Amino acid sequence: MQFGIFSVGDLAPDPRAGRMPTEHERIRAMTALAVRAEEAGLDVFATGEHHKPPYVCSSPSTLLAYVAARTRRLILSTATTLITTNDPVRVAEEYALLQHLAGGRLDLITGRGNTPDVYPWFGQDLRETLALARENYALLHRLWRETDVDWRGRSRARLDGFTSTPRPLDGVPPFVWHASVSSPETAERAAYYGDGFFADNLLAPVGHYARLVELYRTRYADHGHGSPEQAIVGLGGQLFVRPRSQDALSEFRPYFDRSPACARHWSLEEATARTPLTVGSPDEAIEKILGFREVYGHYQRQLFTVDHAGIPLETALEQIDILGEHIVPVLRRELAAGRPP
């Protein structure tokens, strides 16, 4: 079981202090979170890809390369590589190079993103989003496994005898997760290739993602990769903890209320009851996260965001320390119990 944090790199004012960090401060804060995650004994750091304000990480490979140089054990991941608008040739090359620099400590979480504007910016048509995801990933999958690739598709220029360079480290491509909020086709694509499925479960009801996970597990077995229980599932979630639950709710409420993503549908109390959002004491966080196993089955990766909506760096670092000291050790022990061989 892997535990880690992910940052979407949003730039937002701290509603408690009233201060907006600069882009430089926000970028440096993300790298500080990654270093602290390794120091706290966590396994993974992931960062998203966005090309529109208020987000600051338009080049995850650059940020992760910097983090790779400052860490030794941490697995580095994208929290979304935009498989629809990135050229799969460049994805193959950039992340194979990063895999070498990181000594193999790299995987990808691919997705279609949540910013429709990005499609025309990169010369693509939003109406072709599913076809782009399907075609671009098919090419990326081949580029990491084959040389002298011939390719004819609709989304990019043809390839004749093309070999991407560098080749994956030791001939083993980076592991790929396919992330989705709502797409059964994404779950099917992950199952078809025998890749991982990452349920990007932040703010929808817990049961919403259970249907996608169940579909993925079933189709993973149908495609001959193993039993449904052997399918490789990851979950996301947002977490804010304090020793006393009332303090956690009080401190987090301004961030929740000011976040367009968080406060759009429910109150803070409703969101913590219905969605994967975890706000409370360490014991309450442990209980809620252990409950995910009852909904999704045994799974392999749990990532948390701790710096969303203007939460200052000092507070986010405290969240990582609490995770490493009080929450993750218990989760490792409890989630290992009863796990199939």
Side-chain angles (χ1 to χ4, degrees):
M1 184 75 179
Q2 298 174 345
F3 294 94
I5 62 168
F6 71 97
S7 176
V8 296
D10 58 320
L11 189 66
D14 180 352
R16 294 170 63 91
R19 182 181 181 277
M20 170 76 87
T22 66
E23 289 183 322
H24 178 73
E25 290 171 333
R26 187 69 176 96
I27 293 167
R28 298 292 295 192
M30 293 170 68
T31 65
L33 294 175
V35 172
R36 183 64 66 88
E38 177 166 280
E39 294 170 347
L42 304 186
D43 306 303
V44 184
F45 172 77
T47 179
E49 177 188 349
H50 294 274
H51 299 274
K52 180 179 182 179
Y55 302 97
V56 299
C57 189
S58 56
S59 178
S61 60
T62 304
L63 189 144
L64 292 176
Y66 178 83
V67 173
R70 300 193 61 198
T71 56
R72 294 293 177 266
R73 182 187 53 80
L74 199 65
I75 298 169
L76 310 175
S77 183
T78 57
T80 299
T81 294
L82 298 178
I83 196 62
T84 46
T85 51
N86 278 307
D87 181 356
V89 171
R90 293 299 295 143
V91 173
E93 294 176 336
E94 289 184 12
Y95 286 100
L97 177 58
L98 179 53
Q99 184 195 33
H100 281 268
L101 293 173
R105 298 180 290 125
L106 176 75
D107 57 33
L108 296 187
I109 300 177
T110 67
R112 292 183 288 137
N114 59 0
T115 310
D117 296 351
V118 76
Y119 285 82
W121 293 343
F122 289 90
Q124 301 295 350
D125 186 340
L126 176 62
R127 294 169 297 181
E128 299 295 321
T129 177
L130 292 175
L132 284 166
R134 183 168 56 249
E135 182 174 290
N136 285 352
Y137 185 69
L139 176 54
L140 174 62
H141 190 268
R142 288 188 61 192
L143 290 172
W144 274 341
R145 291 163 175 82
E146 303 175 27
T147 58
D148 303 312
V149 172
D150 295 326
W151 176 260
R152 305 291 184 272
R154 297 192 303 167
S155 61
R156 72 167 327 279
R158 61 186 282 175
L159 298 175
D160 294 297
F162 179 79
T163 300
S164 66
T165 183
R167 305 305 298 153
L169 179 62
D170 297 328
V172 180
F175 187 77
V176 174
W177 308 76
H178 301 256
S180 179
V181 173
S182 59
S183 170
E185 177 156 332
T186 302
E188 167 63 27
R189 185 162 56 253
Y192 174 81
Y193 287 101
D195 294 337
F197 178 71
F198 192 84
D200 194 9
N201 60 340
L202 286 177
L203 296 169
V206 171
H208 167 84
Y209 304 98
R211 294 189 289 272
L212 291 176
V213 171
E214 180 64 25
L215 171 64
Y216 162 67
R217 289 187 183 278
T218 299
R219 296 297 291 152
Y220 183 93
D222 291 344
H223 287 296
H225 300 297
S227 68
E229 293 75 22
Q230 292 173 312
I232 306 160
V233 175
L235 305 177
Q238 184 166 354
L239 176 136
F240 194 91
V241 288
R242 288 300 187 204
R244 300 194 312 163
S245 60
Q246 56 266 44
D247 293 336
L249 288 164
S250 175
E251 186 175 347
F252 184 70
R253 190 179 303 278
Y255 301 103
F256 180 90
D257 290 343
R258 288 289 297 273
S259 168
C262 291
R264 191 163 41 191
H265 302 297
W266 297 298
S267 69
L268 174 56
E269 287 75 12
E270 290 172 328
T272 55
R274 299 182 62 182
T275 78
L277 175 64
T278 301
V279 181
S281 68
D283 286 344
E284 289 172 325
I286 290 167
E287 180 180 5
K288 180 163 187 174
I289 296 161
L290 289 177
F292 293 161
R293 179 176 55 183
E294 306 305 317
V295 180
Y296 305 112
H298 288 280
Y299 61 108
Q300 285 72 31
R301 174 176 285 186
Q302 175 71 61
L303 300 184
F304 303 101
T305 181
V306 297
D307 65 335
H308 176 59
I311 292 175
L313 174 60
E314 296 77 10
T315 302
L317 292 173
E318 291 170 353
Q319 297 299 302
I320 293 173
D321 291 341
I322 295 171
L323 273 169
E325 184 175 356
H326 299 291
I327 296 176
V328 167
V330 179
L331 291 175
R332 289 194 197 279
R333 182 176 66 249
E334 294 297 324
L335 291 173
R339 182 181 291 274

